[in-house]
Amino acid sequence: MESFHLVSREYKPEDTVVTVGEVKIGGGHRAYIAGPCSVEDEKQIREIAEGIKGAAHILRGGAFKPRTSPYSFQGLGEAGLRLLKEAGQQVGLPVVTEVVSEQEVELVAGYVDMLQIGARNMQNYALLKKVGAQSKPVLLKRGLAATIEEFLLSAEYILAAGNSQVVLCERGIRTFSGSPTRNTLDLSAVPILRHLTHLPVIVDPSHGTGLWNLVEPLSKAALAAGAHGLMIEVHNHPQEALSDGPQSLKPEKFRMLAGELNALAQFLDEQSAGGKAWKV
Amino acid sequence: MESFHLVSREYKPEDTVVTVGEVKIGGGHRAYIAGPCSVEDEKQIREIAEGIKGAAHILRGGAFKPRTSPYSFQGLGEAGLRLLKEAGQQVGLPVVTEVVSEQEVELVAGYVDMLQIGARNMQNYALLKKVGAQSKPVLLKRGLAATIEEFLLSAEYILAAGNSQVVLCERGIRTFSGSPTRNTLDLSAVPILRHLTHLPVIVDPSHGTGLWNLVEPLSKAALAAGAHGLMIEVHNHPQEALSDGPQSLKPEKFRMLAGELNALAQFLDEQSAGGKAWKV
Amino acid sequence: MESFHLVSREYKPEDTVVTVGEVKIGGGHRAYIAGPCSVEDEKQIREIAEGIKGAAHILRGGAFKPRTSPYSFQGLGEAGLRLLKEAGQQVGLPVVTEVVSEQEVELVAGYVDMLQIGARNMQNYALLKKVGAQSKPVLLKRGLAATIEEFLLSAEYILAAGNSQVVLCERGIRTFSGSPTRNTLDLSAVPILRHLTHLPVIVDPSHGTGLWNLVEPLSKAALAAGAHGLMIEVHNHPQEALSDGPQSLKPEKFRMLAGELNALAQFLDEQSAGGKAWKV
Amino acid sequence: MESFHLVSREYKPEDTVVTVGEVKIGGGHRAYIAGPCSVEDEKQIREIAEGIKGAAHILRGGAFKPRTSPYSFQGLGEAGLRLLKEAGQQVGLPVVTEVVSEQEVELVAGYVDMLQIGARNMQNYALLKKVGAQSKPVLLKRGLAATIEEFLLSAEYILAAGNSQVVLCERGIRTFSGSPTRNTLDLSAVPILRHLTHLPVIVDPSHGTGLWNLVEPLSKAALAAGAHGLMIEVHNHPQEALSDGPQSLKPEKFRMLAGELNALAQFLDEQSAGGKAWKV
């Protein structure tokens, strides 16, 4: 592999813990990020925020959406940021949203607790340098065709620019087997990344599969593979969502899933504590 | 999807249970298949059989090896079959081995309890028809570039020829991200297959990754994703193995892993029993 | 690259010329193989044979078809071989057909002038050894997900078994970009193979794209890339074909294309003769 | 396919001709873009410019380089733009360079005749909108894992923002068959794009393969497939290049290749004029 440096276990052996608001991710801390693909209106984001309260740790919602077509819904922009922030305050959750333009980094950082770099921009180095030069933590999604090395080198851009609060997110890669899933969730990336880097690693099974009924088994699998958390799309009316409805859970399903994930995580932690002796 | 029929949930809603010797796979039954890539000599296969006894349910070992190069070790042939059978009898485990030629199906079936069709032969329809026309259960591995639909239609060939005792095995697909893993283990295939077919679904994390230290996290992830079992390469001297050494566990590690997997499986079953209400 | 030997330029620097009936492929000789995906009945294959006479060098037609579904048309079997042979004799063209079973190699070789190994069987080593042990020339198609090295090692199996009359055929690989083409035709494989091996290299743009209107530009591109010939699907009534209709040319279009390809080949040969000096 | 509109043949049936300085690309006009990966110093870019004069139509050279690692050479920045512009003026060629940041679009557009959007930024929509809102023509490279539809929708962003002077460039996609080529050049994209869009389509065989000795056969193949031009990396001292040396031609080789390509293009045009009758 090419020379990533600041992100490597060699440079920093112990796990990095990233702090978003008062939420910790990494090391012994797991977190669930939940919310809609897009902030659509005040009622929608507030209902969803209420629906995930107590089960999720961070509220997500897109205000600036990178869409394949220029004619698709592009998000509410700054109005969406404001609604997201207010919904987060209302339920006491920090918020994360995607930033898609160098020129909007400051604007977005003014409203949210964590900045997301989407898969399409994983190698938008100008944008990586910008989010590296500000102080909010960054959620970096793996590009659709990015190798592990390229993923880590993109994180390296952010650390090299001064920001070491970076969470990595596996979200499915593009393979031949598109159908019936949108992408192929690469869970082997989780233990590989955890071996190579000290940064926290989470998984997005919603984008990784594109089908809501795969979210439960693959969320559990992600935790079993060693993920520090999950990013799950939740919508109060998935059938009417302006984007990504088919891969969204309803709030009540998300809460039940979170309960099961908490129990599984505890089981895995106990097993891991007991089994440490024989592991590498 | 194209019309697979006999393998579909529509045709047969309840899970098929496949019986190998006295071992059951499918429905509520999980099984671990373990052993070396190749049977190398009597001492090797007997030591490994002893090493996995009590932890594995089925002993594997290759006698006819499909190798990319005609100059690589091709297996011990019938002598290997005999050693495998004897090692299985010695420890009381049924055995499985790969068959690579239509003309050897009867020979191989005479020695083993289950016939494996390897990834390279997943669309060797002449061979599928042959194993479909005999009575031993079949372990069908997914081809390197096979879609879910193609995988199920290959199983359909076996069922259409008269043999409904088929276990499906996800073992990694070929994607751009070859390095550092040999293939990309597609765990999303597990819940998708379980939704579409009544046949049991297991996972081979050894071939799926090619790296022994990924076997533990991905075995756990496979169970969490809903797999009915695992196929894991075990060798007493991985560094000296004639094939696939780097992805093999030593027997003692395998036993410890099996213990953890059993506990995890029990946890998942209990959780599943409790959570059934809210699932699809 | 792994050690292929008999197929390498190091082992045999000069181009191999493969002889099919009286047709030569390789070195300075180019050939076009044309005909339907499947032999359907006497009238069909005879009409197509008449239609391509004078433009094609070898007649193709499937009698044993490897189909993804066991319920799809599987070919006419031996009756199809007989019809193909008679149609070839009628127009004075040698014939090629696919063999899909070890146990049918002798049967098929008794009827045709060249045996084809299809993409799905590229790593069916039992079958490769069988066609390597008989004396008819072999057309080896590249597997859907086969690397250049794996492709050459499969040819090596045939040469190692005693048959050095092998033609390699690039026919499209499986990539993410399925739609709108069936596969991605990898024309870079042509100069790479010609550099590494002395065996002739041809291209199948019909399967490579799955769309008949891409056959013309990509046939020309294949010749420009250095191919020794083309394999093109031709059907007298593409809309009614039992298989692969959408990628088939009508006979009159094929004849016009062949005329253009001949002129292009002559141009390329003259240019190559003039430009040799500066090339590697 | 999703709804691209302004770029479609339905919207504008006749070929668009893009004008770069006084050079035309598209319709009946072909053009070769040549030059180094990176502008390294005054002597280098001037020597290369002199070397390609009379054979190339547009001079390329990178000043802002998007590099996978933050520690790789990132280009000379504005100093590189100045050197490129001066070298172009010296030999009377228009120049093209990549822009990697929204905030540098105006700066770059002030120096060059055409702006390039690299593969990594093909879905950097903020950047696409910016280059769409200025008046210099744009060279849009296909992303490593971009479908034809996504590629066209990215061009649609530029046209929707007001700039219809866009040239599309196929430059290789990421597939399993990485080795021995860097990417898989998808020449089927050329006729497909020409069918779907009125925009000119060119091919970059240097990045598409990563190996200089494949540039000649694949450049010819690209023209035969219908490309309106080529983008070829040329360096005066490939062994010492700061980036992409192994895929660069020396100037004298490029001139000889251009001569052959001109003759081939003329042949193809004449054949096409003669053969129009039977084509779709």
Side-chain angles (χ1 to χ4, degrees):
Chain A
M1 290 223 177
E2 218 173 307
S3 51
F4 44 85
H5 173 57
L6 301 174
V7 302
S8 73
R9 282 266 180 218
E10 282 71 38
Y11 178 77
K12 177 169 180 289
E14 71 280 5
D15 281 4
T16 286
V17 176
V18 171
T19 306
V20 184
E22 296 179 1
V23 172
K24 292 185 190 307
I25 313 176
H29 307 276
R30 288 194 190 79
Y32 311 140
I33 303 173
C37 178
S38 302
V39 176
E40 299 174 11
D41 56 48
E42 184 174 346
K43 186 162 178 297
Q44 174 241 24
I45 190 67
R46 283 185 176 253
E47 274 187 24
I48 296 171
E50 287 293 341
I52 64 171
K53 189 172 62 173
H57 305 90
I58 301 176
L59 174 67
R60 62 156 283 164
F64 295 95
K65 301 298 302 173
R67 302 302 297 275
T68 305
S69 165
Y71 310 122
S72 300
F73 175 58
Q74 308 266 324
L76 297 181
E78 189 169 359
L81 295 178
R82 200 173 305 118
L83 294 175
L84 178 67
K85 183 182 178 181
E86 290 167 2
Q89 287 174 333
Q90 165 197 340
V91 295
L93 293 181
V95 296
V96 57
T97 203
E98 182 167 353
V99 58
V100 298
S101 162
E102 304 158 55
Q103 296 179 309
E104 292 160 358
V105 168
E106 281 169 49
L107 172 73
V108 175
Y111 282 97
V112 301
D113 303 285
M114 183 182 216
L115 297 172
Q116 178 181 319
I117 301 292
R120 292 179 178 85
N121 281 314
M122 193 203 82
Q123 292 190 311
N124 177 346
Y125 301 121
L127 186 58
L128 296 178
K129 288 173 187 168
K130 273 274 182 182
V131 299
Q134 56 81 54
S135 60
K136 291 282 170 74
V138 177
L139 177 64
L140 179 65
K141 297 194 111 181
R142 181 179 180 185
L144 268 176
T147 63
I148 295 292
E149 185 190 0
E150 290 167 343
F151 190 16
L152 287 172
L153 283 167
S154 285
E156 185 84 16
Y157 265 95
I158 303 173
L159 271 72
N163 188 344
S164 58
Q165 290 280 292
V166 175
V167 174
L168 303 173
C169 182
E170 158 64 28
R171 43 81 70 216
I173 56 174
R174 184 164 274 180
T175 71
F176 68 88
S177 69
S179 159
T181 55
R182 192 164 158 179
N183 301 296
T184 297
L185 193 68
D186 178 14
L187 288 183
S188 66
V190 175
I192 293 170
L193 287 169
R194 293 211 46 189
H195 181 70
L196 294 171
T197 183
H198 51 84
L199 296 173
V201 180
I202 71 169
V203 170
D204 174 351
S206 306
H207 283 88
T209 65
L211 296 169
W212 72 269
N213 57 353
L214 296 179
V215 169
E216 181 231 329
L218 293 172
S219 292
K220 292 180 177 177
L223 291 192
H228 288 107
L230 294 157
M231 185 168 200
I232 295 177
E233 290 201 344
V234 176
H235 199 284
N236 45 350
H237 303 294
Q239 318 87 304
E240 298 159 25
L242 294 183
S243 53
D244 286 348
Q247 69 195 32
S248 296
L249 294 188
K250 290 184 188 171
E252 56 272 28
K253 275 211 194 288
F254 171 74
R255 288 197 305 272
M256 282 184 281
L257 175 58
E260 295 197 3
L261 293 175
N262 289 338
L264 175 60
Q266 191 183 331
F267 173 86
L268 292 166
D269 282 344
E270 287 165 9
Q271 191 171 67
S272 179
K276 273 279 164 49
W278 67 275
K279 280 175 204 157
V280 205
Chain B
M1 290 222 175
E2 217 174 307
S3 51
F4 43 87
H5 173 57
L6 301 173
V7 303
S8 72
R9 282 267 181 215
E10 281 72 38
Y11 178 77
K12 178 170 178 288
E14 70 279 9
D15 279 6
T16 286
V17 176
V18 171
T19 307
V20 184
E22 298 178 359
V23 172
K24 292 184 189 311
I25 313 176
H29 307 275
R30 289 196 188 78
Y32 311 140
I33 303 172
C37 178
S38 302
V39 176
E40 297 173 12
D41 57 46
E42 185 174 345
K43 185 163 179 296
Q44 174 241 23
I45 189 66
R46 283 183 177 256
E47 275 187 24
I48 295 171
E50 287 293 344
I52 65 172
K53 190 172 61 173
H57 305 90
I58 302 175
L59 174 66
R60 62 156 286 163
F64 296 94
K65 301 297 303 171
R67 301 301 298 274
T68 305
S69 165
Y71 309 123
S72 299
F73 175 59
Q74 307 266 323
L76 297 180
E78 189 169 358
L81 295 177
R82 198 174 305 118
L83 295 176
L84 179 67
K85 182 183 178 179
E86 291 167 3
Q89 287 173 334
Q90 166 197 336
V91 295
L93 292 182
V95 296
V96 58
T97 202
E98 182 167 352
V99 58
V100 299
S101 162
E102 303 158 56
Q103 296 180 310
E104 292 160 359
V105 168
E106 281 168 47
L107 172 73
V108 175
Y111 282 97
V112 301
D113 304 285
M114 184 181 215
L115 298 173
Q116 178 180 319
I117 302 292
R120 290 178 180 86
N121 281 314
M122 192 203 81
Q123 293 190 310
N124 178 346
Y125 301 122
L127 187 58
L128 295 178
K129 288 173 188 169
K130 273 276 184 183
V131 299
Q134 57 82 54
S135 62
K136 291 282 171 72
V138 178
L139 177 64
L140 178 65
K141 298 193 112 181
R142 181 179 180 184
L144 269 175
T147 63
I148 295 291
E149 185 190 359
E150 290 167 344
F151 190 16
L152 287 173
L153 283 167
S154 285
E156 184 84 17
Y157 265 95
I158 303 173
L159 271 72
N163 189 343
S164 58
Q165 291 279 294
V166 175
V167 174
L168 302 173
C169 182
E170 159 63 29
R171 42 79 72 216
I173 55 173
R174 183 163 277 179
T175 70
F176 67 87
S177 66
S179 161
T181 55
R182 194 166 157 178
N183 300 297
T184 298
L185 193 67
D186 177 14
L187 288 183
S188 67
V190 176
I192 293 171
L193 287 169
R194 293 212 45 190
H195 181 71
L196 295 171
T197 183
H198 52 84
L199 297 173
V201 180
I202 70 169
V203 170
D204 174 349
S206 306
H207 283 89
T209 65
L211 296 168
W212 73 268
N213 58 353
L214 296 180
V215 169
E216 181 231 330
L218 292 173
S219 291
K220 292 180 177 177
L223 291 192
H228 289 108
L230 294 156
M231 185 168 201
I232 294 177
E233 290 202 343
V234 176
H235 200 283
N236 46 351
H237 302 294
Q239 317 85 310
E240 298 159 25
L242 294 183
S243 51
D244 285 347
Q247 69 195 34
S248 298
L249 294 188
K250 291 186 185 171
E252 56 271 29
K253 275 212 194 286
F254 170 74
R255 287 196 307 272
M256 283 185 280
L257 174 58
E260 295 197 3
L261 293 175
N262 289 338
L264 174 60
Q266 192 183 332
F267 173 86
L268 292 167
D269 283 344
E270 287 165 9
Q271 191 170 65
S272 179
K276 273 279 162 50
W278 68 274
K279 279 174 204 156
V280 204
Chain C
M1 290 224 177
E2 218 174 305
S3 51
F4 44 85
H5 173 57
L6 302 173
V7 302
S8 73
R9 283 266 180 216
E10 282 70 40
Y11 178 76
K12 179 170 177 289
E14 71 280 7
D15 279 4
T16 286
V17 176
V18 172
T19 306
V20 183
E22 296 180 359
V23 173
K24 292 183 190 309
I25 313 177
H29 307 276
R30 287 194 190 80
Y32 312 138
I33 303 173
C37 178
S38 302
V39 177
E40 297 173 12
D41 56 48
E42 185 174 344
K43 186 163 179 292
Q44 174 241 25
I45 189 68
R46 283 185 177 252
E47 274 187 25
I48 295 171
E50 286 294 341
I52 64 171
K53 188 171 65 173
H57 304 91
I58 302 175
L59 175 66
R60 63 156 284 163
F64 295 95
K65 301 297 303 172
R67 301 302 297 274
T68 304
S69 166
Y71 310 122
S72 299
F73 175 58
Q74 307 265 323
L76 297 180
E78 188 168 359
L81 295 177
R82 199 175 306 117
L83 294 176
L84 178 67
K85 183 183 179 181
E86 289 168 4
Q89 287 174 334
Q90 166 197 337
V91 295
L93 293 181
V95 296
V96 59
T97 203
E98 181 166 353
V99 57
V100 298
S101 163
E102 303 158 56
Q103 297 179 308
E104 292 161 357
V105 168
E106 280 168 48
L107 172 73
V108 175
Y111 283 97
V112 301
D113 303 285
M114 184 179 217
L115 296 173
Q116 178 181 319
I117 301 292
R120 288 179 181 84
N121 281 313
M122 193 202 82
Q123 292 189 312
N124 177 345
Y125 301 123
L127 186 58
L128 296 178
K129 288 173 187 168
K130 273 275 182 180
V131 299
Q134 56 81 55
S135 62
K136 291 282 170 71
V138 178
L139 178 64
L140 178 65
K141 297 194 111 181
R142 181 179 181 185
L144 268 176
T147 63
I148 295 292
E149 185 189 1
E150 290 167 343
F151 191 16
L152 287 171
L153 283 167
S154 286
E156 185 84 16
Y157 265 95
I158 304 174
L159 271 72
N163 188 344
S164 59
Q165 292 278 294
V166 176
V167 174
L168 303 173
C169 182
E170 158 64 28
R171 44 78 73 217
I173 55 174
R174 184 164 275 181
T175 70
F176 67 88
S177 68
S179 161
T181 56
R182 194 165 156 177
N183 300 296
T184 297
L185 193 67
D186 178 14
L187 289 183
S188 67
V190 176
I192 293 170
L193 286 169
R194 293 211 46 188
H195 181 71
L196 294 171
T197 183
H198 51 83
L199 297 173
V201 180
I202 71 170
V203 170
D204 174 350
S206 306
H207 283 88
T209 65
L211 295 170
W212 71 268
N213 58 353
L214 296 180
V215 169
E216 181 230 329
L218 293 173
S219 291
K220 292 181 176 176
L223 291 191
H228 288 108
L230 295 156
M231 185 166 201
I232 294 176
E233 290 202 342
V234 175
H235 200 284
N236 46 351
H237 302 293
Q239 318 86 306
E240 298 158 25
L242 293 183
S243 53
D244 285 349
Q247 70 195 32
S248 297
L249 294 188
K250 291 185 185 171
E252 56 271 28
K253 276 212 194 285
F254 170 74
R255 289 197 305 272
M256 283 185 279
L257 174 58
E260 295 197 4
L261 294 174
N262 289 339
L264 174 60
Q266 192 183 332
F267 172 87
L268 292 166
D269 283 344
E270 287 166 8
Q271 191 171 67
S272 178
K276 275 278 164 47
W278 67 275
K279 281 175 203 157
V280 206
Chain D
M1 290 224 175
E2 218 175 306
S3 51
F4 44 85
H5 173 56
L6 301 174
V7 302
S8 73
R9 281 267 180 216
E10 282 70 40
Y11 178 78
K12 178 169 178 288
E14 72 279 9
D15 280 4
T16 286
V17 177
V18 171
T19 306
V20 183
E22 297 179 359
V23 173
K24 290 182 189 313
I25 313 177
H29 307 275
R30 287 195 190 78
Y32 311 139
I33 303 173
C37 178
S38 301
V39 177
E40 297 173 11
D41 57 48
E42 183 173 347
K43 185 162 178 296
Q44 174 242 25
I45 190 66
R46 284 185 175 252
E47 274 187 26
I48 295 171
E50 286 293 343
I52 65 170
K53 187 170 66 173
H57 305 91
I58 302 175
L59 174 66
R60 64 156 283 162
F64 295 94
K65 301 297 304 172
R67 301 303 297 275
T68 304
S69 165
Y71 310 122
S72 300
F73 175 59
Q74 307 266 325
L76 297 180
E78 188 169 359
L81 295 178
R82 199 175 303 117
L83 294 176
L84 178 67
K85 181 182 179 180
E86 290 167 3
Q89 287 174 334
Q90 167 197 337
V91 295
L93 292 181
V95 296
V96 59
T97 202
E98 182 167 351
V99 57
V100 298
S101 162
E102 304 158 56
Q103 297 179 308
E104 292 159 359
V105 169
E106 280 169 48
L107 172 74
V108 175
Y111 281 98
V112 302
D113 303 285
M114 185 179 215
L115 297 173
Q116 178 181 319
I117 301 292
R120 289 179 180 84
N121 281 313
M122 193 203 81
Q123 292 190 311
N124 177 345
Y125 302 122
L127 186 57
L128 296 178
K129 288 173 187 169
K130 272 276 184 183
V131 299
Q134 55 83 52
S135 61
K136 291 283 171 74
V138 177
L139 179 63
L140 178 65
K141 298 194 112 183
R142 182 179 179 184
L144 267 177
T147 63
I148 295 292
E149 186 189 359
E150 291 168 341
F151 191 15
L152 287 172
L153 283 168
S154 286
E156 185 83 16
Y157 265 97
I158 303 174
L159 270 73
N163 188 345
S164 59
Q165 291 279 293
V166 175
V167 174
L168 302 173
C169 183
E170 159 64 30
R171 44 78 74 215
I173 55 175
R174 183 163 276 181
T175 71
F176 67 88
S177 68
S179 158
T181 55
R182 193 165 157 179
N183 300 297
T184 297
L185 193 67
D186 178 14
L187 288 184
S188 66
V190 176
I192 293 170
L193 287 169
R194 293 213 44 190
H195 181 70
L196 294 172
T197 182
H198 52 83
L199 297 174
V201 180
I202 71 170
V203 171
D204 174 349
S206 306
H207 283 88
T209 65
L211 295 168
W212 72 268
N213 58 353
L214 296 179
V215 169
E216 181 231 331
L218 291 173
S219 291
K220 291 180 176 177
L223 291 191
H228 288 108
L230 293 156
M231 185 165 199
I232 294 176
E233 290 202 345
V234 176
H235 199 283
N236 46 350
H237 302 294
Q239 319 86 305
E240 299 159 25
L242 294 184
S243 53
D244 285 347
Q247 69 195 32
S248 297
L249 294 187
K250 290 185 186 172
E252 55 272 28
K253 276 213 193 287
F254 170 75
R255 287 196 306 270
M256 282 185 280
L257 174 59
E260 295 197 4
L261 293 175
N262 289 338
L264 174 60
Q266 191 182 333
F267 172 86
L268 291 167
D269 283 344
E270 287 165 8
Q271 192 171 66
S272 179
K276 275 279 164 49
W278 68 274
K279 278 172 207 161
V280 205

